[in-house]
């Protein structure tokens, strides 16, 4: 009995870990798209993070700022240090190249999304 | 805000100099915005504990700094499986035999045991480690350095990309006996039998042009024992030639034959089978010394022989287990039960 309870609780932990890992993996790809889409209008790091958090796309500083730097080094973003409310802030926005890439990514996203919906619909009918 | 400055300084320590100012300015702005927002909510300044709570949420300095650094590794994901494989080979081919010889020496060599074992097992293991660590360090270190250089120079990128499916090795069946090895085993076995019978069948005294070697009477047991085992092995090689797939029966015969051969060989080393050597041009005292030296070295080789025999027997047992597993896997009833 003890063994059964032990197995059930531990296999539950394993499943939760697997779910958490898969969730993070899935979110990682989506975050790039969310950041690029949010930067169609100019924002600085903190407000961008707040915008994303308000949209349930939580992202911490340690993830956002390296991502912004990477996207900038790839030429998809441009940034500028500017003083606002007596403090220096770095503002980001999409570069012309970034706009093109975002458009392509959104097309890709729509394609993937409709394919996935089709697959899920088939599975649902199959299950019924 | 002293706590924030200390935090930023700790993060800065781990950042590359060229970008550190820029990264710290941005991170500082974010943290101060968080503090300001919280202060706006509470309508007062945050105390140290509350600031510390925000910093804890941001993360440990080294982790935060690490996110800004490019991903770095000594041996990358492409080379890592090859590196792991080579390390395994180095361990199996060098370190494990080393340990086995050490166990053999500790078990069977009184002089070695007297020198390295002083009543405590921990000390004995310590002595093994003291003699093993250098070998381990060299083998693992050399392999790691070679792979780190290959990673850095990308020397294997070309050959790994230009692969040809036709050059892949054929599908391996561990229970299949290569015909070439059966033929070799058969020919060598027959030649050995002819030589063995011709040389030792009726005598324990061997005469060469100027040297006479006399074997001890116990040699007769070895003669008949090795003769019998050779006949069995030649018959087994012939059977394997026509049925090149190991069966449990033939694998069992091989195990029995190897075990019997091992016992005979280890006994031979301990038996002082060489009675005397006579040569007209060499003094009797010298030939006696040579005879004793050969017998002494045979006895000294005993621990190594035991280790080798155990390895051979273990590989024979493993073969039988493998055959059994294969048979179980492909038995339709069992497969259906599993499914």
């Amino acid at each position: 009995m003890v063994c059964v309870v032990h197995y059930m609780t531990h296999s539950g932990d394993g499943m939760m870990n697997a779910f958490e890992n898969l969730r993070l993996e899935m979110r990682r790809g989506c975050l790039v798209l969310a950041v690029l889409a949010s930067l169609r209008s100019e924002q600085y790091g903190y407000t961008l993070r707040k915008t994303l958090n308000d949209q349930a796309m939580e992202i911490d500083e340690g993830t956002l700022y390296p991502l912004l730097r990477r996207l900038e080094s790839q030429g998809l973003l441009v940034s500028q240090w500017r003083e606002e409310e007596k403090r220096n802030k770095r503002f980001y926005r999409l570069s012309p190249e970034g706009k093109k890439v975002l458009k392509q990514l959104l097309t890709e996203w729509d394609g993937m999304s409709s394919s996935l919906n089709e697959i899920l619909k088939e599975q649902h009918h199959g299950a019924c | 805000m002293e706590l924030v400055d200390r935090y930023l300084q700790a993060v800065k320590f781990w950042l590359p100099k060229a970008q550190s100012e820029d990264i710290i300015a941005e991170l500082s702005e974010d943290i101060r915005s968080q503090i300001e927002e919280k202060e706006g909510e509470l309508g007062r300044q945050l105390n140290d504990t509350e600031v510390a709570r925000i910093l804890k949420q941001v993360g440990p300095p080294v982790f935060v700094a690490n996110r800004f650094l490019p991903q770095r590794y000594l041996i990358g994901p492409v080379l890592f499986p090859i590196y792991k494989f080579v390390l395994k080979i180095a361990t199996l081919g060098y370190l494990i035999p080393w340990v086995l010889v050490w166990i053999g020496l500790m078990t069977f060599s009184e002089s070695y045991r007297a020198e390295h074992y002083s009543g405590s097992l921990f000390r004995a293991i310590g002595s093994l480690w003291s003699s093993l660590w250098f070998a381990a360090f060299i083998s693992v270190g050399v392999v790691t350095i070679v792979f780190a250089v290959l990673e850095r120079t990308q020397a294997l990128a070309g050959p790994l990309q230009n692969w040809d499916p036709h050059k892949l090795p054929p599908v391996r069946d561990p229970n299949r006996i290569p015909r070439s090895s059966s033929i070799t085993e058969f020919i060598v076995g027959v030649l050995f039998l002819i030589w063995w019978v011709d040389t030792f069948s009726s005598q324990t005294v061997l005469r060469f042009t100027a040297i006479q070697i006399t074997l001890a009477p116990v040699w007769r047991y070895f003669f008949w024992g090795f003769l019998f085992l050779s006949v069995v092995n030649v018959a087994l090689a012939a059977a394997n030639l026509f049925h090149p797939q190991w069966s449990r029966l033939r694998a069992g015969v091989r195990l029995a034959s190897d075990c019997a051969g091992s016992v005979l060989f280890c006994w031979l080393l301990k038996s002082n089978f060489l009675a005397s050597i006579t040569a007209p041009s060499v003094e009797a005292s010298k030939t006696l010394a040579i005879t004793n030296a050969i017998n002494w070295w045979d006895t000294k080789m005993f621990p190594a022989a035991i280790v080798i025999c155990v390895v051979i027997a273990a590989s024979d047992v493993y073969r039988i287990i493998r055959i059994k597993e294969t048979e179980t896997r492909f038995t339709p009833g069992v497969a259906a039960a599993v499914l």
Side-chain angles (χ1 to χ4, degrees):
Chain A
M1 181 68 180
V2 172
C3 288
V4 171
V5 171
H6 179 84
Y7 171 76
M8 284 174 75
T9 49
H10 281 74
S11 64
D13 286 351
M15 210 182 285
M16 278 307 287
N17 282 341
F19 167 73
E20 194 54 31
N21 287 340
L22 290 170
R23 193 179 73 91
L24 286 174
E25 213 170 287
M26 205 161 72
R27 275 173 54 90
R28 210 170 294 147
C30 300
L31 276 175
V32 176
L33 199 54
V35 166
L36 289 175
S38 302
L39 290 175
R40 281 181 288 201
S41 57
E42 192 180 63
Q43 293 194 66
Y44 65 95
Y46 183 69
T47 51
L48 173 60
R49 207 155 63 78
K50 281 199 70 171
T51 311
L52 291 171
N53 286 352
D54 291 344
Q55 303 289 334
M57 293 291 286
E58 280 154 32
I59 185 166
D60 57 41
E61 311 83 347
T63 307
L64 179 66
Y65 292 111
L67 174 63
L68 289 172
R69 280 168 184 277
R70 186 158 58 86
L71 294 173
E72 190 182 14
S73 71
Q74 288 169 348
L76 304 181
L77 299 179
V78 284
S79 73
Q80 190 187 25
W81 281 100
R82 233 179 22 238
E83 196 179 299
E84 195 188 83
E85 293 163 0
K86 293 179 186 172
R87 278 227 302 269
N88 263 335
K89 291 169 183 174
R90 187 177 196 166
F91 288 85
Y92 292 91
R93 64 184 161 77
L94 274 184
S95 67
E97 182 63 28
K99 282 179 188 162
K100 272 189 226 161
V101 170
L102 175 63
K103 203 173 164 190
Q104 287 169 338
L105 284 174
L106 287 174
T107 313
E108 190 72 17
W109 172 263
D110 287 340
M112 275 167 58
S113 175
S114 52
S115 302
L116 192 61
N117 280 334
E118 279 302 312
I119 291 167
L120 292 172
K121 212 189 293 172
E122 281 168 25
Q123 296 278 327
H124 181 69
H125 287 311
C128 291
Chain B
M1 291 292 171
E2 192 216 344
L3 214 53
V4 175
D5 291 334
R6 281 163 60 190
Y7 179 81
L8 292 171
Q9 180 183 267
V11 176
K12 193 177 174 184
F13 177 79
W14 299 104
L15 291 171
K17 271 206 167 55
Q19 299 164 22
S20 65
E21 292 295 340
D22 200 42
I23 292 171
I24 289 298
E26 196 165 23
L27 190 61
S28 161
E29 210 295 308
D30 189 288
I31 293 169
R32 288 178 210 281
S33 294
Q34 286 187 56
I35 292 171
E36 259 182 28
E37 190 181 306
K38 198 79 187 163
E39 284 176 343
E41 276 174 27
L42 297 172
R44 61 169 172 83
Q45 281 206 330
L46 296 188
N47 59 32
D48 265 10
T49 317
E50 287 161 336
V51 173
R53 200 175 299 140
I54 289 175
L55 295 178
K56 288 271 278 185
Q57 268 177 2
V58 179
V62 68
F63 285 9
V64 172
N66 191 43
R67 298 267 184 93
F68 288 90
L69 302 173
Q71 206 174 10
R72 284 177 297 186
Y73 32 71
L74 195 61
I75 295 158
V78 175
L79 282 187
F80 192 78
I82 309 171
Y83 167 69
K84 205 171 142 190
F85 176 73
V86 174
L87 264 192
K88 262 188 207 168
I89 299 284
T91 310
L92 288 173
Y94 191 64
L95 298 179
I96 290 179
W98 217 106
V99 173
L100 290 175
V101 168
W102 181 84
I103 292 170
L105 284 169
M106 269 295 192
T107 313
F108 299 105
S109 169
E110 278 176 27
S111 57
Y112 190 86
R113 199 165 49 239
E115 201 180 324
H116 295 90
Y117 184 71
S118 53
S120 160
L121 186 66
F122 287 113
R123 277 192 195 168
I125 291 169
S127 107
L128 165 69
W129 176 243
S130 66
S131 49
L132 186 66
W133 79 268
F134 191 66
F137 178 75
I138 292 289
S139 56
V140 173
V142 166
V143 171
T144 306
I145 289 169
V146 167
F147 273 85
V149 170
L150 289 174
E151 177 68 44
R152 190 52 70 89
T153 56
Q154 293 287 306
L156 283 183
L160 286 175
Q161 285 293 331
N162 301 327
W163 67 288
D164 179 359
H166 293 107
K167 287 180 183 167
L168 292 171
V171 177
R172 213 167 54 88
D173 178 0
N175 292 334
R176 189 168 179 83
I177 312 158
R179 282 234 152 81
S180 56
S181 76
S182 295
I183 291 170
T184 311
E185 208 177 316
F186 182 81
I187 291 170
V188 170
V190 168
L191 290 176
F192 175 80
L193 266 177
I194 294 167
W195 172 77
W196 189 255
V197 171
D198 182 51
T199 312
F200 299 109
S201 61
S202 58
Q203 54 187 356
T204 51
V205 178
L206 308 173
R207 285 189 186 82
F208 300 96
T209 46
I211 301 169
Q212 180 179 299
I213 297 172
T214 309
L215 301 169
V218 73
W219 179 259
R220 303 303 302 172
Y221 295 114
F222 298 121
F223 171 75
W224 287 110
F226 284 121
L227 180 67
F228 174 71
L229 289 177
S230 301
V231 171
V232 170
N233 278 323
V234 166
L236 191 62
N240 287 345
L241 187 60
F242 294 105
H243 304 281
Q245 201 76 13
W246 278 112
S247 69
R248 257 199 271 184
L249 173 69
R250 275 177 288 137
V253 171
R254 171 54 56 87
L255 171 66
S257 144
D258 283 346
C259 284
S262 299
V263 171
L264 264 183
F265 184 67
C266 291
W267 180 23
L268 174 76
L269 293 178
K270 279 280 196 184
S271 65
N272 292 332
F273 66 92
L274 197 58
S276 66
I277 299 173
T278 322
S281 56
V282 185
E283 283 175 32
S285 60
K286 271 196 175 173
T287 54
L288 181 64
I290 292 169
T291 306
N292 289 339
I294 291 173
N295 284 329
W296 185 81
W297 274 110
D298 284 343
T299 312
K300 281 278 150 196
M301 278 162 59
F302 184 71
I306 290 272
V307 172
I308 293 166
C309 291
V310 167
V311 171
I312 291 171
S315 79
D316 288 345
V317 170
Y318 173 66
R319 181 186 293 132
I320 294 172
I321 294 168
R322 201 176 57 206
I323 294 165
K324 215 173 163 183
E325 275 177 0
T326 315
E327 283 174 1
T328 315
R329 208 177 304 147
F330 292 108
T331 306
V334 175
V338 169
L339 288 171

